[in-house]
Amino acid sequence: MNAARSSESAQPAAPGGSSGAPQFLPWQRETARAWLGNRDRFAHAWLVHGLAGIGKLDFAIAAAASLLCETPENGLACGHCAACAWFASGNHPDLRRIRPEAVALEEGADAAESAEDAEPAAGTTKRAPSKEIRIDQIRSLESWFNTATHRGGWRVALLYPAHALNVVSSNALLKVLEEPPPHTVFLLVADAPDRLLPTLVSRCRRLPLPAPDPDTALRWLREQNVEPAREWLAAAGGAPLAALRLAQSGEAACPPWLSQLVGPLANGQAPDVGTLAEALEKVAAGEWIDALQRLYTDLMLAGAGAPARYFPSLAGGVAQIAARMNAARVAESARWLTKQRALATHPLNAKLFAHAALQRVVLSCQA
């Protein structure tokens, strides 16, 4: 499953549901009703953004279905009309999904659905599916813009994740938005607007989506049979779809290696860094760096007398470390760890990389 998609959407690859239309998540419904309730002066481009893992893609998919619905109920898709049936089957002619080929393939779509030039030219080596939204995908929309809508209503272009736009494709989209085609709504989905071309952001109305309150998120996770829901939600930083993805990974909410790191440090002892590095050798560097960054956040919170945010099961040990640690040294090492993310995908010796990072963490946490 694609990481970008799996942490942002609970919808199946082909949108649909028991009612024949994708549904807004419980914490999205009121926002959706208020937003979709005034379509007479609806903007031609919207940037849907917010914390990763809260369901922004689910929101955009359900919004597209609602905009295309012929008999909406309180602004939301009815799930019964012909347009909703087309949407549920994945064949609505007034909907286009623009996403990287790699995302399209992992959603179960044919690569050609994502990019007309998916096949390499004769005599060239077959390339890997692109992780970027390419200019060809933007240009391929021109003929679609120049035809009348099939049902006489809106035309919706759903683009995600927006940060996958490169500079060339961003500029191509910018030109489209400067002179938007009639009866067309663009829905761009992004975690952070500051990762996008500023001029592109300026052409969109922004729609920030809030994270759900903990009680709502926990209730939804338990409905998905996720337990212990509170620990998984904490590990995901309060983002329920990210928590669901983590719970389905087969791993623990708190990685065992992290407990083996914190336990000795809490007792004033040095953990076995060599053994821990061997364990991390089999884990993607981005994952264990993320876990260590979250640990540092909990350490700094504990130092300020605040409760743990990410690993409540380690709160006791973290508090013991925080009581003895040098806060400035911990903050400096946290910044150093952030810089190591740039090396996470480089072909380094994985074990040595993990060993060096763990050694730095141990030294920063000792009195």
Side-chain angles (χ1 to χ4, degrees):
M1 181 176 282
N2 174 269
R5 180 181 182 278
S6 61
S7 66
E8 266 309 327
S9 178
Q11 302 282 358
S18 59
S19 68
Q23 304 295 301
F24 289 100
L25 291 162
W27 54 91
Q28 299 173 344
R29 288 174 191 146
E30 290 307 313
T31 298
R33 288 192 182 99
W35 174 57
L36 292 166
N38 183 17
R39 301 192 195 184
D40 294 336
R41 302 183 64 182
F42 213 65
H44 67 274
W46 292 88
L47 177 59
V48 180
H49 62 94
L51 179 71
I54 60 171
K56 298 184 297 296
L57 182 53
D58 281 84
F59 183 94
I61 291 172
S66 298
L67 288 168
L68 294 171
C69 177
E70 296 172 356
T71 56
E73 299 173 357
N74 296 319
L76 310 188
C78 70
H80 308 296
C81 67
C84 285
W86 281 358
F87 197 104
S89 67
N91 294 317
H92 200 297
D94 293 329
L95 173 71
R96 288 288 185 276
R97 291 184 181 224
I98 305 102
R99 72 281 209 209
E101 295 166 20
V103 173
L105 286 170
E106 293 183 9
E107 288 179 343
D110 189 283
E113 182 184 328
S114 178
E116 293 182 348
D117 66 333
E119 292 300 321
T124 62
T125 304
K126 186 175 181 180
R127 61 175 175 79
S130 176
K131 295 181 180 180
E132 295 184 337
I133 294 174
R134 303 169 65 182
I135 188 172
D136 308 78
Q137 295 172 262
I138 305 300
R139 287 174 174 168
S140 69
L141 298 173
E142 291 179 6
S143 59
W144 184 58
F145 294 147
N146 292 327
T147 58
T149 59
H150 285 67
R151 305 297 291 186
W154 292 105
R155 179 191 291 118
V156 179
L158 177 59
L159 189 148
Y160 62 94
H163 69 256
L165 287 160
N166 56 39
V167 174
V168 178
S169 57
S170 290
N171 282 311
L173 180 60
L174 178 60
K175 291 180 180 179
V176 174
L177 298 184
E178 285 174 345
E179 297 183 16
H183 311 296
T184 302
V185 174
F186 287 83
L187 300 177
L188 283 67
V189 181
D191 292 342
D194 59 5
R195 297 178 63 185
L196 307 179
L197 195 68
T199 48
L200 183 60
V201 174
S202 71
R203 293 291 174 180
C204 302
R205 288 280 298 279
R206 292 170 62 157
L207 181 63
L209 295 184
D213 65 82
D215 289 342
T216 299
L218 289 170
R219 189 181 313 115
W220 182 82
L221 283 170
R222 288 170 180 140
E223 289 172 356
Q224 314 309 310
N225 299 314
V226 172
E227 288 293 352
R230 192 173 298 278
E231 287 190 23
W232 285 114
L233 186 64
L241 270 73
L244 176 62
R245 174 179 60 84
L246 290 173
Q248 292 174 338
S249 69
E251 304 294 334
C254 177
W257 63 265
L258 198 59
S259 299
Q260 293 164 19
L261 174 67
V262 170
L265 286 172
N267 295 322
Q269 302 170 353
D272 187 345
V273 172
T275 300
L276 289 173
E278 288 181 3
L280 293 187
E281 186 178 8
K282 305 178 182 67
V283 180
E287 292 185 21
W288 59 256
I289 289 175
D290 180 71
L292 289 175
Q293 288 180 304
R294 290 168 186 249
L295 174 63
Y296 270 124
T297 298
D298 280 356
L299 281 168
M300 288 185 278
L301 286 171
R309 178 179 180 184
Y310 293 110
F311 301 114
S313 63
L314 299 179
V318 166
Q320 288 179 271
I321 297 170
R324 297 193 304 268
M325 72 183 187
N326 182 304
R329 189 190 307 159
V330 167
E332 179 186 353
S333 293
R335 289 191 293 271
W336 174 87
L337 192 61
T338 299
K339 294 178 182 178
Q340 303 314 298
R341 272 196 170 278
L343 305 175
T345 57
H346 288 201
L348 300 174
N349 183 306
K351 184 177 178 180
L352 288 178
F353 185 37
H355 191 282
L358 289 169
Q359 191 65 43
R360 180 70 180 253
V361 171
V362 170
L363 289 174
S364 72
C365 291
Q366 291 176 331

